[in-house]
Amino acid sequence: MNKFLRFNEYKVLAYRILLAYIFYFVARVLFFVYNRNLIKIDSISDFFQLYYHGLSFDTTTIIYINLLFIVLSIVPLVANTKIGYQKMLFYIYFITNLLAYSANFIDFIYYKYTFNRSTRASLDTLQNESNKSTLFFNFLISYWHVFALFFICAFLWIFLYKKVRINHNVHTASVKYFAFSVVGFLFISTLCIGGIRGDFKKSTRPINLLDASRYVTNASQADFVLNTPFAIIRTWNTNTFKKINLVDKATIDALIQPIKFYKNNPKTKPNVVILILESYAREYISTFNKDSKDLKYRGYSPFVDSLAQHSLIFTNGYANGYKSIHGMSSVIAGIPSFKDAFTSSPYPKQKIESLVSVLKSEGYDTSFFHGAPNGSMGFLGFGNILGYDHYYGKTEYNNDADFDGSWGIWDEPFMQYFNKTLSQKKTPFMATLFSVSSHEPYVVPAQYEGKFPKGDNPIHQCIGYTDNSLRKFFNAAQKESWYNNTIFVLVADHDNLIYYDEYYKDQNLHTVPILFFTPNEKYVGVNKDWAQQIDIYPTLLDMMGYDKPFRSWGRSLISKDKIPPFVMRYSSDKYQMMSGNYICTFDGEKAVGFYNKEDKDLKHNLIGQRNAEMNLLEKRCKAFLQDYMERIIDRKLTSNDK
């Protein structure tokens, strides 16, 4: 019976994969030993707790590297146990594993120069070196002990691999053999899929570098949680971050002004509450669509409409990315995402000046709220990089009775928890809430079925539910002592399902509401200028009268400074800068199109009719992109980095 059940083969496969885990543990220990002055781990218990979290990253790496080996080990063939077949598996196993494993050893030394695990960007840097053989020889001489450790580990790994062999069975092509083999293949394949993603939860996406920061109390610990092959794999096709040299620094300082310093308002310390609403597109809000020419238009957010009457709103606002994590980095840190997300690049783990760091320097308590499982969407990891004092997720909420079954805690109870938690804090505070309920699978709590208009898209009733949750939040918050001294910001992370034809046009994709509300109604009105998520950070500091320079690619929406209203984003496989009367499309080096700002479909390219305004717009686009790439790659994301 064991001949067709293949139990021995599966046990040996498990042993061989376990060996990879053991040697990745050894590499992590050695990585720490070599870099113990840079990685702050205070106790043995902390060491093993961080190692436990690192197992997820090891699992993803080991499965990726061994995918061919695993498939060939379990594929339903009758030759699997033959000596020649097993010898082939031996070479596949060690060629792939040792090549990947060696990357960990490079970082024993290289880490102290970069303070990050090596990524695809590191390989790109090496590619530009003409003296690779000399560099390798010098490395070999200087760090012979690293090579020695690698070969010792490789020898032990091969030795242990050969200690357990598969018994050769003469399989026959029977129905039982193939049936059991197919079942085993499907079961192991399912485990591999979960291992590559990081888990089987619907609410999470495959883990990336950012997730390593979820589990740390010190930023350096994230590199202990990671392994180098994982960092290279996850950034293999994401590094579109490359320096360009298109304009001089004087042009950047004049047209972009990456270091801002406003003197428009007296210094105050109001509380700041930022509500980033999942998928809450501009399309869904009536007040932001008063100029709509569609006679059948209707919105689904009556409370936001009423709040807008007492707020400063920007009806021509854009997201600076297209995923939730892009929204967080854009709104809180003023860092947009273009072709590839900043947060999925090799560069997010660096010192970043943001609303969090600036307000913490002013004595603010900072917190981030998201009702999904902790770490979902990468928020916990990026929040730790930014330096939030507190993270409140599904774990802290601690009541699964309010779980929606897919993404997180329903918006209404979580927003009440948000209010209750804020009311227990010392002021001033800065708090960010990221909602979850206006999302696929587009359901509302059972008690609200039929309470909100179903509309024309499944998301419409969810917009109504989140809108009602906001109403209840504000009704509760206005009873608290902190409420009257608070600036509220409401913005969406990105758009979602589209119904109206106007919103299918290129220039209406990823449009979001941007709203500032103060109970004393200091800022009220409708502004139709270009606006974007990265403008929120400088606008808040301007409102507060922050009296120091700070880094920002956005502009204050209430300031009449030299920088005219603009939007910079990536759409239709091109960079786009919108400002004044035109939209410039840019391929990374030069303008490839100019369009009238009313040409929402980008149908009529005016590049053959260039004028002075178009030329200046192209120069601004070059300056923005050049400064963006340089600051991110050179890790100059603070106002001290000139």
Side-chain angles (χ1 to χ4, degrees), residues 407-621:
W407 292 103
I409 305 302
W410 292 110
D411 281 349
E412 181 182 331
F414 196 75
M415 287 184 185
Q416 293 301 309
Y417 167 75
F418 178 51
N419 174 60
K420 182 179 178 181
T421 305
L422 293 185
S423 299
Q424 296 171 351
K425 290 183 176 294
K426 292 182 179 180
T427 58
F429 58 72
M430 175 264 192
T432 307
L433 178 136
F434 207 114
S435 70
V436 303
S437 295
S438 44
H439 202 297
E440 182 272 337
Y442 308 120
V443 294
V444 297
Q447 68 268 28
Y448 283 112
E449 279 293 340
K451 298 288 186 180
F452 307 109
K454 293 282 187 179
D456 302 292
N457 266 339
I459 196 174
H460 287 163
Q461 70 163 343
C462 301
I463 295 297
Y465 168 71
T466 296
D467 181 78
N468 188 60
S469 302
L470 287 168
R471 178 179 63 81
K472 291 192 172 184
F473 163 71
F474 274 91
N475 285 345
Q478 66 185 357
K479 300 174 184 176
E480 304 296 340
S481 59
W482 55 266
Y483 176 81
N484 286 326
N485 187 36
T486 302
I487 300 174
F488 294 88
V489 180
L490 185 149
V491 63
D493 57 345
H494 52 70
D495 59 355
N496 202 285
L497 296 180
I498 296 172
Y499 177 71
Y500 297 103
D501 291 341
E502 187 69 18
Y503 279 93
Y504 281 105
K505 296 179 179 179
D506 182 89
Q507 290 302 290
N508 285 327
L509 296 174
H510 306 304
T511 50
V512 296
I514 297 177
L515 176 154
F516 295 87
F517 168 73
T518 54
N520 62 5
E521 299 192 22
K522 181 178 180 180
Y523 299 101
V524 178
V526 178
N527 190 308
K528 298 180 182 180
D529 289 339
W530 304 105
Q532 54 193 325
Q533 289 171 332
I534 62 173
D535 294 335
I536 290 173
Y537 164 30
T539 301
L540 283 168
L541 294 187
D542 192 4
M543 287 178 171
M544 299 164 60
Y546 180 69
D547 57 0
K548 298 174 186 175
F550 63 96
R551 178 211 54 83
S552 170
W553 285 303
R555 59 180 290 275
S556 170
L557 295 170
I558 63 168
S559 177
K560 302 298 182 184
D561 60 11
K562 297 178 183 178
I563 302 177
F566 77 99
V567 169
M568 183 74 175
R569 68 171 190 163
Y570 195 86
S571 182
S572 301
D573 294 322
K574 296 287 187 297
Y575 298 96
Q576 294 182 359
M577 179 173 274
M578 317 167 200
S579 187
N581 296 307
Y582 297 103
I583 301 157
C584 173
T585 58
F586 189 78
D587 67 2
E589 295 182 354
K590 63 184 182 304
V592 294
F594 291 98
Y595 303 85
N596 186 282
K597 67 179 181 180
E598 302 301 330
D599 185 5
K600 303 292 186 182
D601 271 334
L602 304 185
K603 288 183 176 180
H604 307 290
N605 194 339
L606 305 175
I607 197 166
Q609 306 168 34
R610 294 179 69 128
N611 57 36
E613 185 179 351
M614 293 178 186
N615 291 335
L616 181 60
L617 183 55
E618 180 183 19
K619 186 177 288 188
R620 289 181 64 201
C621 194

Side-chain angles (χ1 to χ4, degrees), residues 27-297:
R28 187 174 273 109
V29 172
L30 291 173
F31 174 77
F32 175 69
V33 170
Y34 271 89
N35 297 285
R36 57 189 178 278
N37 294 329
L38 300 174
I39 300 172
K40 307 301 180 184
I41 300 178
D42 297 324
S43 66
I44 295 295
S45 62
D46 287 342
F47 180 97
F48 281 100
Q49 184 178 21
L50 290 167
Y51 168 67
Y52 170 77
H53 294 306
L55 284 172
S56 295
F57 299 88
D58 290 355
T59 298
T60 297
T61 303
I62 290 167
I63 293 175
Y64 264 128
I65 299 303
N66 289 280
L67 206 53
L68 177 61
F69 173 79
I70 292 170
V71 169
L72 292 177
S73 296
I74 63 176
V75 69
L77 299 175
V78 295
N80 299 65
T81 64
K82 290 184 177 179
I83 294 174
Y85 194 92
Q86 287 298 311
K87 185 175 289 187
M88 176 192 69
L89 289 180
F90 171 86
Y91 286 111
I92 290 174
Y93 180 88
F94 280 108
I95 289 172
T96 54
N97 273 295
L98 292 181
L99 181 62
Y101 190 60
S102 65
N104 287 309
F105 288 72
I106 292 171
D107 269 349
F108 292 178
I109 305 302
Y110 195 52
Y111 180 81
K112 62 174 58 71
Y113 300 106
T114 64
F115 309 111
N116 286 277
R117 288 279 188 171
S118 294
T119 62
R120 171 61 189 270
S122 307
L123 301 181
D124 290 342
T125 300
L126 182 62
Q127 188 177 17
N128 295 325
E129 298 293 337
S130 58
N131 58 338
K132 297 182 184 66
S133 57
T134 303
L135 292 173
F136 178 79
F137 183 75
N138 289 338
F139 190 90
L140 177 62
I141 297 298
S142 300
Y143 304 109
W144 60 269
H145 43 91
V146 174
F147 283 85
L149 286 170
F150 172 74
F151 285 113
I152 290 170
C153 288
F155 173 82
L156 288 173
W157 197 341
I158 293 170
F159 173 79
L160 292 172
Y161 179 99
K162 290 182 175 180
K163 291 292 286 183
V164 178
R165 300 178 182 272
I166 287 179
N167 298 325
H168 175 52
N169 293 317
V170 179
H171 292 306
T172 57
S174 66
V175 173
K176 288 182 178 180
Y177 174 81
F178 283 109
F180 185 83
S181 295
V182 168
V183 171
F185 184 92
L186 294 175
F187 177 74
I188 294 172
S189 298
T190 301
L191 293 178
C192 289
I193 291 170
I196 288 174
R197 284 182 54 82
D199 61 35
F200 291 95
K201 297 176 182 176
K202 181 179 181 180
S203 61
T204 54
R205 78 279 182 272
I207 57 174
N208 60 30
L209 273 66
L210 201 61
D211 291 292
S213 295
R214 291 167 51 184
Y215 311 108
V216 306
T217 56
N218 181 284
S220 66
Q221 294 172 348
D223 291 310
F224 178 84
V225 174
L226 288 167
N227 63 72
T228 303
F230 178 92
I232 294 172
I233 290 169
R234 278 293 190 251
T235 58
W236 191 257
N237 292 315
T238 60
N239 187 28
T240 56
F241 290 78
K242 298 183 184 299
K243 290 185 182 181
I244 53 177
N245 185 18
L246 304 174
V247 298
D248 56 30
K249 187 176 185 302
T251 299
I252 292 172
D253 291 339
L255 298 182
I256 304 302
Q257 295 181 18
I259 306 301
K260 305 293 192 296
F261 186 15
Y262 296 113
K263 300 179 181 180
N264 301 317
N265 294 292
K267 187 172 183 178
T268 57
K269 287 191 176 182
N271 305 305
V272 176
V273 171
I274 300 174
L275 302 164
I276 305 177
L277 304 181
E278 173 66 53
S279 303
Y280 213 92
R282 189 179 80 188
E283 178 182 354
Y284 311 138
I285 309 172
S286 295
T287 307
F288 287 79
N289 289 275
K290 286 190 174 180
D291 293 335
S292 174
K293 297 177 182 178
D294 191 328
L295 299 178
K296 295 182 180 179
Y297 174 83

